[in-house]
Amino acid sequence: MNDKIAFVKHLFGNSDEDYNRVLNQLITYDNFDEAHNFIEDMVKPDYNNWEGKEDYEQRFIAIIEKKFA
């Protein structure tokens, strides 16, 4: 739960809706590479490429990667 709050606040501009939209899209991918490419190409550019948010980004990506492991 704490991760979700941190991700919404720091990575998704305090938008639960954006966070949930991205998660719903991520579950449609077949593997981590596809999901990671989506994050890099479609998500991050909408949020200033998560500049200065690297710690949160790494945690978020690690959790996503575990889902595909």
Side-chain angles (χ1 to χ4, degrees):
M1 185 62 161
N2 287 341
D3 278 338
K4 178 189 175 192
I5 294 167
F7 296 150
V8 168
K9 179 179 179 183
H10 296 284
L11 299 180
F12 294 95
N14 280 322
S15 174
D16 280 310
E17 184 178 305
D18 288 359
Y19 172 81
N20 290 325
R21 177 181 48 82
V22 167
L23 288 187
N24 285 331
Q25 183 68 37
L26 287 171
I27 62 173
T28 70
Y29 292 107
D30 294 325
N31 58 59
F32 174 70
D33 287 337
E34 290 178 358
H36 191 254
N37 288 337
F38 167 72
I39 291 167
E40 289 294 323
D41 297 339
M42 303 299 291
V43 178
K44 286 177 61 175
D46 287 346
Y47 302 96
N48 197 32
N49 288 307
W50 292 342
E51 287 184 22
K53 314 286 186 177
E54 289 79 10
D55 291 342
Y56 297 101
E57 176 182 357
Q58 288 173 359
R59 247 173 46 217
F60 183 71
I61 297 295
I63 290 170
I64 300 304
E65 188 171 17
K66 284 180 189 173
K67 299 288 186 196
F68 287 97

